[in-house]
Amino acid sequence: MRMILLLGGAGFVGSCVAHNLLQQRYGLVIIDLFLHHQSVVLPGAVIIRGDFGDEQLLKTIFTTYDIAAVMHFAAYIEVGRSVHEPAAFYENNVVKTKRLFDVMLAYGVKRIVFSSSCAIYAPLFSAEKLTESHQLNPLSPYGKTKCAVEFLLQDYAVAYNFSYVSLRYFNAAGALPEHNLGEQHNPETHVIPLLFKACERQEPFTIFGDDYPTPDGSCVRDYIHVRDLARVHTKALQYLLTGGAALACNVGSGVGHSVKELVAVASGICGQPLATVIKPRRAGDVPFLVADVSRVQDLLDWRAEASLPQIIDDAWQFYQRKQLKNNAAALNLENS
Ligand code: UFG
């Protein structure tokens, strides 16, 4: 059986994609370090605990399994940390990725779905939607690493006939609570889990800046449910397996929501009003990041389905289950 190799397939987006592919009866090999997602269970997949930068491990996998395509989720993602630790980001996100591409070439595997980001675009200071032809000029080292890999992919496509789909994620959010799959970063910097933390602890939630040129002064983002993201990865894979040409496309909902809107929706879902405190703008944040999704709709026949309340509701269910588990684990420790 031909297999799909998922790098970072136990992480937030990777595990939800893996789940979707398993449901569609794809054979999967997953490499992951399991740093933050020890409890992820993906029955039916071959799971290997390891680093995708381990060349020997990759060679063993390509020798052992008949790999039809690779999906690459194994990146460092914290924008703020990338400013202070660019060396680690370039090493993990670029150097190891180039090594991966070279091993793929050596074994004749030339199809890849790559997790890129809207962070590669030049900042936009008006409410326009970003199209794929918008200038690439990333602000953060994180965005630069994603951009570097897109350039690698373009050049490998021309010179070595690589075929790829680069999915430029906007703000991945939500969860698959029914399968116990969701967001658990450490440290957590993403707005939705932080809203829940504030609700749970009855602490004020910090809004970074309310003096942006947006309708209510807080930043506007395009939140995309991980369930929708999982579907678009499966579409991208099918596209490549049926001979699709190299492609980079935005994956978002096409709709922007401000941080203040998020606070209102989260308060309703968590069942309690949430106090807020306004702090200065966070370094690197831009006022608007909203996707023009025409290309992905046209070429991959995909559009996002989940609304913001659905995204937040699913994330809340996952968050609550995770807290219950953590509390039970803490009690067990106390009692042992
Ligand atoms: N925010 C707050 N308070 C918080 C946390 C976040 O107001 O406590 C605001 C941020 O300022 C931002 C919005 O909520 O305006 C979203 O912030 P996130 O940190 O959740 O997400 P980002 O938009 O900063 O980052 C996302 C992805 C990155 C990707 C980036 C592209 O998580 O991986 O988009 O710019 F690189």
Side-chain angles (χ1 to χ4, degrees), residues 312-325:
I312 295 187
D313 194 39
D314 280 338
W316 174 233
Q317 287 184 42
F318 174 75
Y319 183 87
Q320 284 179 300
R321 286 179 200 193
K322 188 171 54 120
Q323 294 309 98
L324 276 177
K325 254 195 187 164

Side-chain angles (χ1 to χ4, degrees), residues 76-80 116-121 140 142-143 146 169-173 183 185 188-195 205-209 212 218-223 257-260 262-263 277 279-287 289:
Y76 291 168
I77 60 162
E78 309 88 346
V79 176
S116 187
S117 168
C118 61
I120 66 175
Y121 290 120
S140 64
Y142 163 76
K146 290 288 175 183
Y169 302 177
F170 280 65
N171 286 56
E183 200 167 359
H185 301 113
E188 189 54 78
T189 60
H190 292 95
V191 62
I192 294 176
L194 290 177
L195 278 164
F205 172 76
T206 300
I207 297 179
F208 293 128
Y212 285 99
S218 65
C219 285
V220 171
R221 295 287 179 271
D222 181 336
Y223 296 89
H257 295 284
S258 73
V259 178
K260 287 184 182 174
L262 254 61
V263 171
V277 51
K279 294 228 175 125
R281 295 178 177 196
R282 193 174 64 175
D285 277 348
V286 293
L289 269 174

Side-chain angles (χ1 to χ4, degrees), residues 5 7 33 48 59 64 70 75 105 109 114-115 117 124 132 139 144 146 163 173 177 210 273 275 277 313 319 334:
L5 173 62
L7 311 172
L33 283 167
I48 297 163
K59 287 179 175 169
T64 311
V70 176
L105 278 180
V109 178
F114 175 64
S115 300
S117 168
L124 191 64
E132 289 82 358
L139 212 60
K144 288 174 188 168
K146 290 288 175 183
S163 60
D210 72 345
V277 51
D313 194 39
Y319 183 87
E334 264 175 34

